[in-house]
Structure formats: structure tokens, C-alpha cells
Amino acid sequence: MYLTKFSRTAKRLCTLCACVISLAAHAQATSNWPTRPLRIVVGFAAGSSPDLVARTLSEPLSKALGQPVIVENHPGASGNIAADIVAKSTDQHTIGMLINGNLTIAKLLNPATPYDPQKDLAPISLICTAPLVLAVPVGGVKGDAAAFIAAARAAGDQWSYGTPGVGTLGHLGMELLKSQTGIKAVHVPYQGNPQVISGLVGGQIQLALLPPGLADVQVRAGRLRPIGVTSTTRSPLVPGFPTLEEGGIHGFELDIWTAAASPSTLPPEIRARLSTLIAEVTNTPDVRQKLFQQGYQAVGSTPEVLAQRLRKDTAALSRIIREQGVRVE
């Protein structure tokens, strides 16, 4: 009997010692982190907006970490191939530079998406944001946003809008605008925004939501006219453009953004350190200026701020996906 009690006590002590050793090893591992180069995975080709953001942050982040920061491009599936690589990474030295859809509605758009944004990825920092611009051909309807929307309603399905593809923010944003304004413009998917712009200039389509940098170039060249930006206040990225709110389209707010995320299995201590360093780097004058030149406003947020944005965008966009039956195969 005494031997049995002794054995039980010994087993408990062994288990306790094992736990203490494991915790000590974990604490040492996280305190020594990083022990190798940090990999930033980008879901688009070199020269794309997320790629430029990642490369803008890589050098100052490398100095802050004391380790090289390597940017890897894995384009395809609107960035979801890269997001899946991040979600399945177990090396504790891989993060992703991802966009709206990768972190919010990827699984809703395509049930075959191999990762779940809500379960498999964890927010690190909202890096930068930009509103979209509702742009139209210069020879189209004159007047403000209210006049344009009235003309679009009258045109019914005789008008069309262009996007870089099914399920992109330009697509879902237009469907959201349609649901709020009652217009019936038909979706025409293109290979990318350059083709969308060509369609607008050539008169094949009547409207589109474009990134501010692309829209500004065309407006300055006299090829397109801005109806309004999708932020509630005027954007310093295109300060001369009115807002949709000014034209009477109330409560319509939509941003494109780039954010850093990690596998959900990354230890919280490492994620917190990364978030702090990335926010500090993002808000240095040099990085802020470079991001502005790329068409973004720098944010550099906490994980909590990014998580709040994810919840908000997921709620708004998932409703449109369900109502319109949008699917990406």
C-alpha cells in the first residue's frame, strides 16, 4: 500500500518536473527568437502592392530583429496559395503579407480553400490601407454621385462594371454598392485593373472601383472621372476627389488593405513581439513616406485592431457573398 502511494507520488512529481522542463524550454526558445531568418510570404508577383509593402518593411525589420528578412513570392488563387503556406507553417519564422480576402472571406468564396482564415491564421498588424475610387469615363454622365447613381438606376442592366476578377474587392465592393443604391449594372471580370481601365476608357464598361493610385493617374490624364472615394472623409492619397458620402451615398465604407498575419500556432509571445516591431517600423517617417508613394496610408496596428477590422469586413462582405451567391471555383 505504501509502495503504491509512493509510486503515485513519484509519477506526479515526474509529470510536474516534465511540465516545468517543457515550460522552461518554451520560455528559452521564445526569448531567443528569432534564431534564423524571418520569411515573409507574399501571394502576388514581384512588383505587386503586397510585394512592395513587404519589401519596404523587410530591411528595417531585419535591423530590428537582428536577422535577415526574406520576401518569398507565391502568386496564385488571389493570394490564397501564400496564405495556405503561412497557415501550415510550423517553423515559427514564417509570416504572411496578406490582403483583405485572404484573411476574411476566402473560405466563403471557395469552400475548397485549404485553410480557414478564422482558425488557421492569427492577426499581427494592419500595415496600411487605402479607399477605392468609383471611376467612370469622362464622356459619361455629368454631375455628382447622386446624379450618377440616378442615371445608373435608370440604365438597369444595360450598364456594366469591370473588376480584376470574381471575388476581388472591386467585385464585392460593387455588389455592396448595388445593394445599397439599387443599381443593376452587370459584372464584367477582366484579368487585372489595367484591362479594367482600358474597358472604361474605351466605353465597354461604365463604372469600376479602382485603387486610388491607378485612378489618380487616369484622372490627371483626362481619361477618367472620379465619382467618389469609398472612405467617409476625403483621402490624403487623392485629396481632390470627393467622397461618395458627399454625393449622398451614406454609410458606404470600404478599404483595400495589407496586413501581416502568422500561423495560429505561433506562440503568443513571438506574435506580440512581431506586432510591436512591425508597428514601430511601419510608423517611421521613411516607411510611411514609401507606403504613401505606393498608394497607401500607413497604420501599423496592434493585433486587436486588425482583429476588429477582420470581424467588420467579414460581416459586410459575407452578407454580399450569400445574397449574390458569389463563388470562386
Side-chain angles (χ1 to χ4, degrees):
M1 179 170 135
Y2 290 109
L3 184 60
T4 301
K5 287 183 179 179
F6 176 80
S7 297
R8 289 174 182 169
T9 302
K11 285 181 180 178
R12 291 193 188 103
L13 286 172
C14 287
T15 301
L16 180 61
C17 287
C19 289
V20 170
I21 292 170
S22 176
L23 289 172
H26 174 76
Q28 183 177 8
T30 54
S31 64
N32 292 337
W33 187 92
T35 58
R36 53 191 286 191
L38 178 71
R39 178 173 64 149
I40 301 180
V41 179
V42 178
F44 299 87
S48 64
S49 291
D51 174 75
L52 293 174
V53 171
R55 294 182 190 279
T56 297
L57 266 63
S58 61
E59 184 178 347
L61 185 58
S62 173
K63 291 179 180 178
L65 289 171
Q67 285 282 355
V69 174
I70 301 167
V71 178
E72 285 188 9
N73 300 88
H74 294 271
S78 299
N80 288 337
I81 289 175
D84 186 48
I85 290 172
V86 175
K88 291 179 169 57
S89 174
T90 59
D91 63 9
Q92 296 190 356
H93 289 76
T94 296
I95 64 172
M97 196 62 68
L98 307 175
I99 63 170
N100 303 49
N102 308 142
L103 285 167
T104 55
I105 41 79
K107 197 78 173 175
L108 289 173
L109 282 172
N110 185 355
T113 299
Y115 71 96
D116 186 324
Q118 281 74 46
K119 295 178 181 178
D120 300 330
L121 294 170
I124 293 177
S125 179
L126 179 62
I127 306 298
C128 51
T129 68
L132 291 166
V133 178
L134 181 61
V136 302
V138 290
V141 176
K142 306 301 180 186
D144 62 7
F148 178 80
I149 293 300
R153 285 199 200 98
D157 62 4
Q158 299 305 299
W159 277 16
S160 56
Y161 71 91
T163 76
V166 176
T168 60
L169 198 64
H171 177 204
L172 299 178
M174 278 301 311
E175 290 300 318
L176 183 61
L177 184 65
K178 286 168 63 176
S179 74
Q180 291 188 210
T181 60
I183 65 178
K184 304 294 183 183
V186 177
H187 180 213
V188 179
Y190 288 84
Q191 289 184 332
N193 276 319
Q195 291 78 16
V196 173
I197 291 169
S198 295
L200 282 169
V201 173
Q204 287 83 36
I205 55 176
Q206 286 70 45
L207 63 159
L209 287 170
L210 296 175
L214 292 179
D216 189 43
V217 170
Q218 299 301 320
V219 170
R220 290 178 183 274
R223 298 188 186 97
L224 297 179
R225 185 169 72 88
I227 296 299
V229 297
T230 60
S231 50
T232 54
T233 58
R234 293 199 177 197
S235 171
L237 296 167
V238 280
F241 291 12
T243 66
L244 292 177
E245 186 83 20
E246 291 174 48
I249 303 173
H250 303 300
F252 186 84
E253 184 178 9
L254 190 67
D255 287 336
I256 51 176
W257 46 256
T258 300
S262 74
S264 59
T265 55
L266 189 70
E269 300 91 342
I270 295 177
R271 194 159 60 243
R273 185 181 175 199
L274 267 172
S275 176
T276 299
L277 291 178
I278 287 175
E280 289 174 355
V281 164
T282 300
N283 282 295
T284 59
D286 181 56
V287 170
R288 292 182 69 88
Q289 179 62 23
K290 287 179 179 177
L291 292 175
F292 190 85
Q293 291 169 349
Q294 294 166 17
Y296 282 110
Q297 286 182 265
V299 180
S301 78
T302 63
E304 292 73 24
V305 168
L306 175 54
Q308 184 178 12
R309 171 58 68 92
L310 297 183
R311 288 191 293 270
K312 177 183 175 182
D313 284 10
T314 300
L317 297 177
S318 61
R319 176 178 65 83
I320 291 300
I321 291 169
R322 289 192 299 268
E323 289 177 356
Q324 301 300 325
V326 179
R327 286 292 181 271
V328 178
E329 302 301 335

